[in-house]
Amino acid sequence: METLTTAFQDLIKEAVAKSKAVKKIEEDNVFQRGNTEIRPLLDKMVESLVLPGSGISGMENIRELYRLLGEGHPCILLLEHYSNLDLSLFDCLLRKEDGGIPIADALVAIAGMKLTEDSPVVAAFASAYTRIVIYPSRSLQGLDPEKCKDELLRSAAINRAATRALIRTKEKGGMVLVFPSGTRYRPGDPSTKRGVREIDSYIRVFDYMCPVAINGEVLHVRPGDMMDDYVSNDLVRLTVGPVMSCSAFRDKVRVKAEADGIEDKKQAVVDAVMDLLEELHESAEIERQRLIAN
């Protein structure tokens, strides 16, 4: 099996050469505009990996979400997360669908700062898409508050700036995209499919949302650097679920959690999101297997 590096060595070199990615995230650069010179290179990678029949299911749902966005309603997409090509897959395949280009142009992803700071290659990939960079809570786990005061202050400052950027994005009509698990799913590690608690805060400040399942796998996670992940060809379908009222979804889950004696209502909401994504994934996989068989 080839790795991302061996399969796309020339495209990767070109992406790094064209990258204007910052090396360190600070309060004044959490909003990053997508580099339109790099995106076509990632499109070439995606197009060489996905098999015929790949595309977006449920376009009527995302078109309805985009219509609501145009009416001034803040809208959010909640995507499953299997690899660091997930955003590239969604963006590329969405642009090929009828009416997909203006929707893709409106996307603003929430991204962890690791994608910017850990590797110039990964940073180049991430910089292809417009995003708001955050300091993820997972990155703070295990830190000694007494020994890491400066880093804790930095994380708080970055996330305050990201919140301000999110407010501006909503005001300007951006469609926010977030991965509720906060990390890629790793087979054998169920904790990587548990949603992060902060996602409840996103849902709380948006009007409408759609879940998005990802079926099919062209990049296989390995320990270590993303560039060492294995690539393979596959039929990939991204399935956009029905438009849902964020407040209605959240209220329903919180009422049930109260009745069940669950104290952490925020986590209960995020758990319900992950259950929703899993159900959508399972039903979409049945359809994907039918396409493969035909």
Side-chain angles (χ1 to χ4, degrees):
M1 242 184 198
E2 284 198 282
T3 67
L4 201 58
T5 299
T6 60
F8 301 111
Q9 186 175 12
D10 291 341
L11 289 173
I12 290 170
K13 287 181 179 178
E14 189 175 353
V16 172
K18 292 181 175 180
S19 176
K20 302 179 181 68
V22 300
K23 293 183 179 180
K24 188 173 183 179
I25 295 300
E26 305 287 359
E27 293 176 68
D28 60 354
N29 62 14
V30 296
F31 183 85
Q32 298 283 324
R33 182 73 61 185
N35 186 332
T36 56
E37 293 185 24
I38 294 178
R39 193 179 66 212
L41 304 177
L42 292 173
D43 287 347
K44 287 181 181 179
M45 295 182 194
V46 167
E47 289 162 356
S48 72
L49 292 172
V50 298
L51 296 175
S54 297
I56 307 289
S57 300
M59 275 301 296
E60 68 280 4
N61 294 326
I62 197 168
R63 290 193 196 101
E64 173 62 11
L65 194 70
Y66 185 65
R67 184 189 68 78
L68 291 165
L69 186 74
E71 292 181 353
H73 295 285
C75 296
I76 187 168
L77 290 164
L78 305 164
L79 272 70
E80 287 192 294
H81 200 8
Y82 291 97
S83 83
N84 279 330
L85 280 184
D86 289 342
L87 181 54
S88 299
L89 284 164
F90 187 55
D91 183 89
C92 180
L93 296 176
L94 179 58
R95 291 178 186 277
K96 295 178 182 298
E97 299 286 346
D98 183 30
I101 291 176
I103 302 174
D105 286 342
L107 295 178
V108 179
I110 304 297
M113 66 178 194
K114 180 179 179 180
L115 296 178
T116 299
E117 296 187 347
D118 277 16
S119 159
V121 178
V122 176
F125 277 36
S127 71
Y129 309 102
T130 300
R131 65 209 186 282
I132 297 171
V133 183
I134 63 169
Y135 198 122
S137 60
R138 287 180 188 270
S139 299
L140 295 172
Q141 291 178 359
L143 292 183
D144 186 329
E146 290 301 316
K147 296 180 180 179
C148 304
K149 289 180 179 179
D150 289 344
E151 195 62 18
L152 291 170
L153 289 172
R154 180 185 176 222
S155 71
I158 287 173
N159 286 338
R160 283 196 300 269
T163 298
R164 293 192 293 270
L166 180 65
I167 292 170
R168 290 193 296 271
T169 296
K170 288 168 56 181
E171 292 172 346
K172 293 180 179 179
M175 182 179 287
V176 172
L177 179 156
V178 67
F179 296 103
S181 65
T183 189
R184 299 165 292 164
Y185 173 62
R186 294 165 180 78
D189 184 357
S191 70
T192 58
K193 253 202 176 181
R194 192 176 196 215
V196 294
R197 194 168 177 269
E198 293 88 337
I199 295 301
D200 175 68
S201 299
Y202 287 101
I203 295 173
R204 182 174 60 83
V205 297
F206 284 85
D207 289 352
Y208 295 99
M209 67 184 196
C210 282
V212 182
I214 301 175
N215 292 75
E217 195 170 9
V218 296
L219 185 63
H220 307 263
V221 176
R222 297 179 66 203
D225 195 288
M226 164 190 168
M227 295 298 114
D228 294 326
D229 288 352
Y230 287 127
V231 296
S232 66
N233 295 104
D234 204 355
L235 191 154
V236 177
R237 300 297 303 182
L238 287 101
T239 304
V240 183
V243 176
M244 308 174 73
S245 162
C246 291
S247 60
F249 178 86
R250 190 168 176 271
D251 290 346
K252 181 179 179 180
V253 174
R254 290 175 70 86
V255 167
K256 185 177 186 304
E258 182 68 30
D260 292 343
I262 298 173
E263 293 185 7
D264 193 343
K265 308 296 190 304
K266 287 178 175 287
Q267 189 62 52
V269 170
V270 183
D271 290 345
V273 167
M274 299 309 293
D275 289 344
L276 181 67
L277 286 169
E278 186 66 23
E279 291 171 10
L280 186 61
H281 181 94
E282 290 177 359
S283 61
E285 182 60 19
I286 294 171
E287 176 60 19
R288 190 180 79 96
Q289 290 298 329
R290 185 188 67 78
L291 290 171
I292 292 173
N294 292 336

